[in-house]
Amino acid sequence: MRSEKMTKGPARAPHRGLLKALGLTDSEMKRPLIGVASAWNEIIPGHMHLDKVAEAACAGVRMAGGVPIRFGAIGVCDGLAMNHEGMKYSLMSREIIADSLEIMATAHPFDGLILIPNCDKVTPGMLMGALRLNIPAIVVSGGPMLPGRHKGKATDLISIFEGVGAHAAGKITEEELENLAAHSCPGPGSCAGMFTANSMNCLSEALGLALPGNGTIPAVSADRLRLAKMSGEAVMNLVEKDIKPRDLATASAFQNALAVDMALGCSTNTTLHVPALAHEAGVAFELSSINDISRKVPHLVSLSPGGAHHLVELNEVGGVMAVMKELARASLLDTLVMTATGKTLGEILKTAPDADGQVLREVAMPYHKEGGLAVLYGDLAPEGSVVKQSAVADTMMTHTGPARVFNSEEEATEAIMARQIKPGDVVVVRYEGPKGGPGMREMLTPTSAIMGLGLGGEVAMVTDGRFSGGSRGAVIGHVSPEAADGGPIALVADGDIIEIDIPKRTLNLKVEPAELEKRRAALAPFEPKIKHGYAARYARAVSSGARGAIME
C-alpha cells in the first residue's frame, strides 16, 4: 500500500506518532488510507452541502474497511465571479486545484482518493489531479440544483441573467426582476441546466470515473447521499484491485465521453476541460475530432439553456446511463471499457432504462441530427473556435454581418445595454483569451443581455474568451490564436464583414490579405493587464484555448 511510506517500519515511528495525534489507532494504520478531497465552502451554492456528501462518502469507506481522511480544495462560483475581475480567476483555479491535489496526495501517500467537487472548474481540476497522480480514485459530485418556479414556469440562474436584459429593454419591471432572482435558485446544487458543472459531472460518468447517477441525481435527494456511500465502498474495490484512473480514462473512454457530450448538448467549456484531462491521461486529442463525432452523434437531450428541460428530468428517465444505452444501441459507443463500478460499460447498460422519447429521444428521432458542439475554422480562427450549435436559433446557423469591436467584456456589455448594437451586427470581444484576459473570462452577462433584449435571432458574438454553459445564441468562443498572441482577431476593425457558417464549420473575415498585413504592421505589442501575482504567472505559462488552456 502507498500509505506504508508513512506507516510501516521502525523508521516511520515519528510518522505514526503524528497520525496517532489525529486519533488513529494501530489497527487503522494497517488499513487503506483514503484521501477525501472535499470542495465544501459557504460561498458556492453548489458546494454548501458537500460536507454532508463527504460524511456519507467517509461512511462508505469505513463500511468497506478503509480509513477516510478529509482535506479541502478551493472553488470559484462562476455566477458570483461573473462580469468583474473575479472571473479572470475562474479557469485559472482549475490548475491550482489539480496542483493542490497532487501536492496533498504525494506529501501524504494515500492509497486511494474520493473527489467531492460540484461546480465549473472544480470537477475538471480534481480529475486532472487524479489522472496525473494515477492512484485509485473516484469522483462523486454534489449534484444539480432543482429548477426554480416563476409565474408557473421552470427557471434557473440563466433566467435571471436574461431577465437583466429584459429589464433593460423595458420588458419587465425591476420588481419582476427581483422576484425572478428570489425564486430561480431554490437551494443547494450546481445550477439546474446543462451548464459547465453538470456537463463535467455527467462526462465523469461517461469516462468511467464516477458511478451511475453522479451527473444527474439532485443535490437535495437522499439518493445523492447513498451514491456517496456507494462511492466510498467502490473506491475500496478500486484500491483492492489496483484499478487506476488511467486504466479507466482510456482513448476509447474519451471517445465515449465526446459522444455523450454531443448527445447531451454540453457546455462549450468541455472543449477546454476534456483536452486538459486527455493531456493528463496521456491520451492524444485533436480539437477537430469534435467535428468528426458531432457529425455522427445526434443531439438527444435538450436541456436549459437550449431547451426546456432540466437535469432533474433527465435523472427521472435514467440519466447518463440511459443516454449511453441509446447511443450503444446505435453502435456509437465502445461498451467494453472498464468503469469505476468494477464492471464494463456494457454490463452496466444492461439494466439502464430505454429512451423515454420525450426528455431523451431515440437516435432515429433526435432534437438535432448533429451533436451539440461544433468547431469552426477559417481565416479568423486558424486554430479553431467553438460554438454550442444546439443552442443556436435556426436563423443564425449562417450569418454575415459587420463587426462591432471591443477590447474587453466591460466595453461590449456597456454598448449592448446602451442599445448600441443593431440587428445583423457581429459583436467581437478580444483580448479576453487565456493570456490576454488573462484567464479567458466567461461572457454570460453580454450574451444574456443580447437574449434579454430580444436580439438572439439577429446578433452574433465572436470572442477569444469563452462562454458560460448557460450562454445561448450564435456565440462563438475560444477563437485561436487569441488577440494577445497576435491572432487574426486582433486585426478586426469596426465595419469589417464577418461570415459565420456553422453547418460548414467556418468563421471568416472578409478583408483583403494586403489590408490585414498593413494592420499587423501597425499592431502595438500586447501589454499584459495583470503584471504580478498568480494571474501574471498563469498568463506567461498558459497555452492556447485550442489546446485546452493547459499550463505549458
Side-chain angles (χ1 to χ4, degrees), residues 246-415:
R246 292 185 205 170
D247 297 328
L248 304 176
T250 61
S252 291
F254 274 97
Q255 292 296 301
N256 285 351
L258 287 176
V260 171
D261 191 333
M262 298 307 123
L264 289 176
C266 288
S267 164
T268 52
N269 281 309
T270 63
T271 66
L272 292 173
H273 302 322
V274 172
L277 295 180
H279 174 74
E280 297 290 355
V283 172
F285 184 92
E286 294 291 336
L287 190 64
S288 59
S289 66
I290 290 172
N291 282 341
D292 297 335
I293 294 177
S294 182
R295 298 285 195 194
K296 293 187 296 185
V297 179
H299 180 216
L300 303 181
V301 181
S302 188
L303 305 182
S304 175
H309 301 296
H310 290 84
L311 266 292
V312 64
E313 293 161 277
L314 176 59
N315 187 65
E316 289 168 357
V317 300
V320 174
M321 290 302 119
V323 176
M324 296 187 83
K325 183 176 183 178
E326 180 60 23
L327 293 175
R329 287 177 57 189
S331 301
L332 294 169
L333 292 181
D334 181 346
T335 58
L336 297 179
V337 296
M338 185 59 66
T339 71
T341 64
K343 301 177 181 178
T344 67
L345 178 61
E347 291 176 284
I348 299 173
L349 295 184
K350 288 178 182 178
T351 58
D354 295 328
D356 72 310
Q358 299 296 319
V359 177
L360 169 58
R361 293 188 177 180
E362 296 180 355
V363 167
M365 294 288 290
Y367 285 97
H368 300 99
K369 292 182 179 180
E370 293 188 354
L373 301 179
V375 179
L376 313 186
Y377 293 91
D379 49 28
L380 189 53
E383 295 177 5
S385 59
V386 182
V387 63
K388 187 172 183 174
Q389 63 175 347
S390 60
V392 178
D394 291 342
T395 56
M396 293 296 290
M397 291 297 284
T398 60
H399 179 76
T400 300
R404 293 294 310 281
V405 182
F406 304 94
N407 289 331
S408 72
E409 178 188 359
E410 289 84 355
E411 291 178 14
T413 301
E414 183 178 347

Side-chain angles (χ1 to χ4, degrees), residues 114-152:
I114 300 178
L115 315 175
I116 305 180
N118 211 25
C119 293
D120 292 86
K121 312 310 167 293
V122 188
T123 298
M126 284 191 174
L127 288 173
M128 287 167 63
L131 287 164
R132 187 185 304 168
L133 287 161
N134 203 32
I135 62 176
I138 194 168
V139 60
V140 53
S141 73
M145 185 184 292
L146 294 175
R149 300 289 296 180
H150 180 69
K151 292 187 175 181

Side-chain angles (χ1 to χ4, degrees), residues 22-35:
L22 300 175
L24 294 187
T25 66
D26 289 335
S27 173
E28 285 178 306
M29 283 187 273
K30 293 177 182 177
R31 301 176 190 174
L33 302 184
I34 307 299

Side-chain angles (χ1 to χ4, degrees), residues 78 82 87 269 409 440-444 466 468:
D78 279 18
M82 197 69 66
M87 179 49 73
N269 281 309
E409 178 188 359
M440 207 177 187
R441 284 192 289 181
E442 287 185 345
M443 305 285 179
L444 181 57
R466 61 193 176 92
S468 164

Side-chain angles (χ1 to χ4, degrees), residues 430-471:
R430 62 192 180 193
Y431 295 103
E432 289 286 6
K435 294 181 181 179
M440 207 177 187
R441 284 192 289 181
E442 287 185 345
M443 305 285 179
L444 181 57
T445 298
T447 61
S448 295
I450 288 171
M451 297 304 298
L453 288 165
L455 295 173
E458 300 173 284
V459 169
M461 181 180 287
V462 174
T463 181
D464 53 9
R466 61 193 176 92
F467 296 111
S468 164
S471 291

